[in-house]
Amino acid sequence: MMRNWFACCMMAASLVLLQSISAQSAPQRSAEIEQVYEIDRMIESMWRAYELEPATAAKNYEWCRRVYLDVLGRIPSVDELRAFTGDKSKRKKEKLIDRLLNDEEYTEEFARNWTTLWSNLLIGRTGGNDNNSMINRAGMQKYLRDSFARNKPYDRMVYELVTATGSTDPENENFDGATNFLIDKVNADNGAQATAATSRIFLGLQVQCTQCHNHPFNEWKQQKYWEMNAFFRQTRARGGRRAVQMGQASELMDVNYQGESNLIEEADLFYELRNGLVKVAYPVFVDGTSIEKHGAVSNVNRRQELAKLMLQSDYLDQAIVNRMWGHFLGYGFTKPVDDLGPHNPPSHPELLDYLSQEFRAADYDLRQLIKWIVLSRPYSLSSRISDGNKSDDPLAGEIPRFSRFYLRQMQAEQLYESLLIATMAHKSAGSYEEQERRKNMWLQQFTRAFGTDEGDETTSFNGTIPQVLMMFNGDLIRQATDSRSGGFLDWLFGQNMSGREKIDYLFLAGLSRPATNQEMTMAQQFLAARDGDPVAALQDVWWVVLNSNEFIFNH
């Protein structure tokens, strides 16, 4: 009963806290970083135009928590949090983001987090986990991990992912991990998934529904879809699902395409309109640029030509800027974030164009783009809703103006990694491969694939009853709150701290902030009720902290 009472109090308090974050001094601008200044100028111009009063600045510990979550995929440790909040430098934010992006201490974690994000984007949470899949998930992750650790330019990554050939398996001498992006997408339905995924992920263009008819709302026509699809007609996956089940590696390769008329010099494809009329298509890029029609790879490699055209396209720059902005601010400049075009005008067109041009000028350096966004004023705002910004409500269908930081729930991967940090379990978590294997097994309980043409999947980790029950009763929480000898709570109990300091440490570890006076009073009452068993009392307080609304939200 005591635990349930305290849990209800904590959850109610955390909801109030998330909407009433108090102010501190105005954000410091980095005059040396022109891009940050321009972001602020353009966003503030929109606030004035819509008569919005932005939220006050987030407290230092709030900003620190969200940066660790968004950049590294987990909350800060108590030591990391104290180091940042104790830094008296006026440029402490810039110093922290430079450390997270460039210090060797964080290289592996940075690469791990962005490998997770891009693995989910490129092959989904289920990719490579199904026995019927040709994807080698470890191969995909190895390619991405190496790319992010070395800060490979984004345009080079795109080119490699679109043009890759070779084996999907890291153990194979012909290994190229980038092949795992397309390996499951090219054979079925004449490359329908390859066409849709490449256009959507890298160009922000939703072409999949024009496979059978003209798009009812945008300029995309059925002809454009099949012209894009023609770029993938030379691509084949070898090995197949049966080979994978037998432990053999899959391989992606380029082969000659004879064309449906069996004339390799003009290798065509046919598609049918809704009225039954049959038309012909050849490879033509979205901007109208056509390439040679020959189907022999030795004459023209269609995927390589596609990649070159993509790298010249403004859509490439806008799509990644839009996606990255959405990652850090909760919403992109368009909704959905991967649907660009005249039919779906961006909320801040001037800013999207500016950042896209600056990103290209910075040689597609993703870490630079991250730094600009994280140091900007909209990212540094509190999530507090006030009379001056309550109309800025994307959940109500309004266009986001970024006059406050929008609350959002942690992703399942963020929760997993945050629990490891909060309980210090990461210090004895084993090798990188073992950590990823255990995390992947845990994540599979929430995700299932639909098997649609677009390879859709869904996750039950969305704040509803399955997730709540998992948090309250699941193995991960039981391990995190275990009071066994040598565990986190046993370590904390043995520290030379007062009871108040130990309670405060739990709040710092789980919520990245000290306990309020009200929370401290409730926790001490809780401790008194467990007279004779202080470890169990700490265990109950810790359980409640981890199951509070505040813990599972990025705010």
Side-chain angles (χ1 to χ4, degrees):
M1 288 294 293
M2 191 68 180
R3 175 185 282 188
N4 291 337
W5 168 79
F6 187 45
C8 290
C9 292
M10 270 292 297
M11 289 181 182
S14 64
L15 278 176
V16 173
L17 183 68
L18 289 176
Q19 296 301 335
S20 60
I21 299 173
S22 58
Q24 61 174 27
S25 59
Q28 296 288 331
R29 277 183 174 165
S30 298
E32 298 84 357
I33 305 178
E34 179 184 352
Q35 293 82 1
V36 177
Y37 176 83
E38 288 298 317
I39 291 173
D40 292 353
R41 182 186 67 79
M42 295 183 200
I43 291 288
E44 290 166 5
S45 175
M46 188 70 73
W47 294 340
R48 289 191 295 271
Y50 285 85
E51 299 182 339
L52 290 168
E53 182 180 344
T56 52
K59 292 183 177 179
N60 280 326
Y61 55 72
E62 293 160 347
W63 185 88
C64 180
R65 184 180 190 268
R66 71 178 62 151
V67 167
Y68 272 87
L69 271 173
D70 289 337
V71 175
L72 298 187
R74 50 91 170 174
I75 60 176
S77 68
V78 175
D79 289 343
E80 290 168 332
L81 182 68
R82 285 174 169 168
F84 175 73
T85 56
D87 188 347
K88 304 303 180 184
S89 168
K90 292 183 178 180
R91 300 182 64 179
K92 61 194 297 181
K93 291 183 176 180
E94 188 174 347
K95 286 167 58 180
L96 176 60
I97 190 60
D98 281 340
R99 282 190 63 210
L100 298 185
L101 294 176
N102 303 311
D103 197 303
E104 289 185 3
E105 176 186 359
Y106 292 103
T107 297
E108 183 175 306
E109 282 196 276
F110 177 86
R112 172 195 51 74
N113 180 46
W114 290 93
T115 292
T116 296
L117 292 169
W118 278 85
S119 292
N120 291 346
L121 179 63
L122 296 173
I123 61 175
R125 285 185 170 93
T126 58
N129 292 326
D130 188 334
N131 288 334
N132 290 323
S133 173
M134 288 190 284
I135 295 170
N136 185 302
R137 194 170 190 87
M140 182 84 268
Q141 290 177 331
K142 175 173 172 49
Y143 168 78
L144 291 171
R145 189 165 67 249
D146 291 346
S147 297
F148 286 115
R150 297 171 183 172
N151 197 27
K152 183 180 293 182
Y154 176 73
D155 60 335
R156 180 178 167 193
M157 285 180 58
V158 172
Y159 186 89
E160 291 173 352
L161 288 163
V162 173
T163 65
T165 59
S167 170
T168 61
D169 187 352
E171 302 300 321
N172 193 291
E173 63 180 3
N174 193 31
F175 169 66
D176 183 345
T179 57
N180 285 285
F181 167 54
L182 290 175
I183 193 72
D184 258 8
K185 301 179 177 72
V186 293
N187 281 5
D189 301 321
N190 292 317
Q193 287 191 35
T195 307
T198 301
S199 301
R200 177 179 58 82
I201 293 172
F202 301 121
L203 300 174
L205 299 175
Q206 301 271 357
V207 306
Q208 60 273 12
C209 64
T210 58
Q211 179 177 356
C212 302
H213 54 81
N214 293 337
H215 199 289
F217 305 119
N218 67 32
E219 62 183 4
W220 269 89
K221 305 300 182 184
Q222 193 176 358
Q223 177 80 12
K224 280 184 173 290
Y225 169 86
W226 289 106
E227 288 172 344
M228 279 292 286
N229 177 266
F231 283 102
F232 296 96
R233 289 303 178 103
Q234 291 176 327
T235 312
R236 286 291 178 270
R238 182 170 62 186
R241 290 169 171 79
R242 182 178 296 275
V244 172
Q245 292 171 356
M246 297 173 62
Q248 299 173 7
S250 298
E251 186 174 1
L252 192 68
M253 54 189 174
D254 292 319
V255 298
N256 292 338
Y257 174 57
Q258 292 290 333
E260 296 185 14
S261 298
N262 206 31
L263 296 172
I264 196 169
E265 294 82 4
E266 290 195 12
D268 52 14
L269 66 86
F270 296 110
Y271 66 96
E272 186 175 343
L273 301 180
R274 298 185 74 176
N275 62 8
L277 181 66
V278 176
K279 298 193 71 175
V280 65
Y282 300 97
V284 180
F285 192 58
V286 295
D287 63 0
T289 303
S290 59
I291 66 169
E292 186 180 345
K293 298 177 182 179
H294 209 293
V297 176
S298 59
N299 282 63
V300 55
N301 185 307
R302 291 189 176 189
R303 273 197 297 153
Q304 290 181 7
E305 294 304 311
L306 171 62
K308 293 174 185 177
L309 291 168
M310 289 172 63
L311 266 54
Q312 298 169 12
S313 173
D314 291 340
Y315 278 122
L316 181 82
D317 313 341
Q318 292 181 355
I320 183 59
V321 165
N322 201 26
R323 188 178 300 281
M324 294 293 282
W325 185 271
H327 171 78
F328 286 97
L329 276 299
Y331 293 90
F333 298 118
T334 63
K335 185 178 181 180
V337 73
D338 47 15
D339 189 12
L340 298 171
H343 66 288
N344 191 23
S347 59
H348 297 69
E350 182 186 8
L351 180 54
L352 177 58
D353 286 344
Y354 171 77
L355 285 177
S356 300
Q357 293 167 10
E358 290 298 303
F359 182 56
R360 181 179 284 261
D363 297 324
Y364 294 93
D365 187 337
L366 284 169
R367 297 187 189 186
Q368 282 294 327
L369 180 59
I370 290 171
K371 182 175 180 177
W372 301 337
I373 296 174
V374 164
L375 292 178
S376 70
R377 186 179 177 193
Y379 188 78
S380 298
L381 294 177
S382 163
S383 56
R384 182 179 183 179
I385 298 175
S386 66
D387 290 339
N389 63 28
K390 64 182 179 182
S391 62
D392 182 6
D393 188 3
L395 287 177
E398 300 295 329
I399 294 174
R401 305 299 179 190
F402 308 105
S403 62
R404 57 186 170 86
F405 189 83
Y406 303 119
L407 296 176
R408 57 184 182 271
Q409 187 181 319
M410 279 190 194
Q411 296 295 312
E413 294 88 350
Q414 291 176 320
L415 172 65
Y416 185 92
E417 298 292 348
S418 294
L419 284 171
L420 292 184
I421 287 291
T423 60
M424 301 183 183
H426 66 292
K427 295 183 177 180
S428 58
S431 66
Y432 181 95
E433 290 74 19
E434 178 60 21
Q435 293 178 52
E436 287 300 304
R437 186 190 66 81
R438 288 202 298 265
K439 180 172 67 174
N440 192 38
M441 289 179 61
W442 182 79
L443 291 168
Q444 286 183 49
Q445 65 186 303
F446 303 113
T447 310
R448 68 183 180 91
F450 282 130
T452 61
D453 287 345
E454 289 77 48
D456 293 333
E457 61 184 24
T458 186
T459 175
S460 63
F461 191 87
N462 54 11
T464 53
I465 290 176
Q467 183 263 325
V468 173
L469 291 176
M470 178 281 301
M471 285 292 293
F472 276 33
N473 304 308
D475 289 339
L476 202 59
I477 287 293
R478 282 199 295 268
Q479 294 171 18
T481 58
D482 197 331
S483 60
R484 69 191 184 283
S485 176
F488 168 65
L489 290 173
D490 181 62
W491 170 86
L492 180 60
F493 179 71
Q495 297 302 299
N496 185 22
M497 302 179 189
S498 66
R500 290 181 63 90
E501 289 173 329
K502 290 174 182 176
I503 293 170
D504 214 41
Y505 194 95
L506 291 177
F507 277 78
L508 290 170
L511 305 181
S512 302
R513 65 168 177 83
T516 65
N517 290 335
Q518 181 184 14
E519 291 164 344
M520 187 66 72
T521 298
M522 288 191 296
Q524 287 181 317
Q525 292 172 354
F526 201 33
L527 289 171
R530 285 283 195 172
D531 186 33
D533 194 353
V535 175
L538 286 175
Q539 182 182 29
D540 289 341
V541 173
W542 187 223
W543 182 91
V544 172
V545 166
L546 295 180
N547 281 287
S548 67
N549 291 299
E550 190 177 351
F551 176 73
I552 64 173
F553 274 88
N554 186 354
H555 53 82

